Amino acid sequence: SPSRGTEILSFDTGLFFERDSAKGNLQTLEPRLFYLYVPYEDQQGFPDFDTAPYTFSFSQLFNTNRFTGADRQSDANQLTLALTTRSMSQLSGRELWSLSFGQIFYFENQRVLSVDGTPLLSENSSPFIASSVLHISRKLDGFIDTQWNWQSNRFDVAVLGATYTADGGQRLGAEYRFRRDSVDQFDIRYYQPINESWR
């Protein structure tokens, strides 16, 4: 009868500044701090059915577990520093663009592993994450996500994409993904509504 109880302590806080830009839009500045503490629990004797590390992205800076599923709970003693700025139209309330940066600083080495032997995160800090979204028009959106590795002084991840949405609901998207030593691919997606029941 294996059992595990793990405490999770997190503290999430931020500030929200706004100003009117020279073009009459609303611009924000949103710094954020997120502290996470999860004590280490030895879980190697537990079965592992579906554990895998999440793909590291901006949203992962604020997650309480770096694994998918419920079979493994990662330990943590870390602080996330993040900053987002965005511009919005004061007439429509529509976001025009956003830019986000963030990084995790580790106070202790993480020890919990998944069964597939994912390497320990022993660095003092995570890769530096930058994410940008540009709403070029009401129909056309573009985005760029990057991950910079301070240790090797290079980009490890880059994602660039654009999506066009027509008045009839059709959507055309193109995306390029690069992840060093594992992914280098380009894809095109098309979405066509047929009627209220079929797409």
Side-chain angles (χ1 to χ4, degrees):
S1 299
S3 65
R4 178 196 63 198
T6 304
E7 302 83 9
I8 299 176
L9 172 67
S10 64
F11 179 74
D12 194 350
T13 185
L15 295 171
F16 187 91
F17 302 97
E18 63 180 41
R19 70 178 181 92
D20 295 330
S21 68
K23 295 183 178 180
N25 298 319
L26 184 70
Q27 185 175 358
T28 70
L29 188 66
E30 307 163 35
R32 183 177 176 184
L33 288 175
F34 178 76
Y35 174 74
L36 175 66
Y37 177 76
V38 183
Y40 170 75
E41 293 285 346
D42 185 4
Q43 303 161 56
Q44 290 301 305
F46 295 167
D48 187 345
F49 298 103
D50 58 1
T51 295
Y54 280 107
T55 300
F56 194 65
S57 63
F58 189 80
S59 62
Q60 276 300 107
L61 297 176
F62 311 100
N63 205 332
T64 57
N65 192 358
R66 66 185 183 98
F67 299 122
T68 61
D71 298 321
R72 291 293 182 271
Q73 169 62 55
S74 61
D75 55 319
N77 185 7
Q78 63 193 46
L79 177 68
T80 296
L81 303 180
L83 179 67
T84 296
T85 180
R86 68 186 83 233
S87 178
M88 292 173 285
S89 169
Q90 299 207 65
L91 296 177
S92 64
R94 187 172 66 93
E95 183 179 276
L96 304 176
W97 55 264
S98 68
L99 184 60
S100 300
F101 305 95
Q103 189 171 17
I104 302 175
F105 296 91
Y106 303 110
F107 302 120
E108 296 178 5
N109 293 347
Q110 293 185 336
R111 300 166 59 191
V112 175
L113 289 173
S114 59
V115 169
D116 64 0
T118 307
L120 291 170
L121 295 180
S122 58
E123 296 85 359
N124 294 326
S125 61
S126 74
F128 183 78
I129 296 288
S131 178
S132 176
V133 178
L134 175 62
H135 303 283
I136 301 169
S137 68
R138 292 186 177 275
K139 296 182 178 181
L140 184 60
D141 299 320
F143 65 90
I144 300 175
D145 294 326
T146 59
Q147 182 174 309
W148 177 262
N149 191 323
W150 297 109
Q151 307 289 330
S152 55
N153 200 31
R154 66 186 185 184
F155 285 105
D156 281 346
V157 177
V159 182
L160 296 83
T163 302
Y164 178 81
T165 305
D167 292 332
Q170 301 92 339
R171 289 200 298 269
L172 177 65
E175 191 170 298
Y176 171 73
R177 300 186 194 92
F178 169 79
R179 181 174 297 274
R180 191 170 299 280
D181 300 327
S182 63
V183 175
D184 189 1
Q185 65 186 30
F186 181 81
D187 69 67
I188 297 177
R189 303 178 304 277
Y190 180 70
Y191 174 87
Q192 173 65 54
I194 299 174
N195 55 38
E196 291 185 358
S197 302
W198 289 90
R199 306 287 186 269

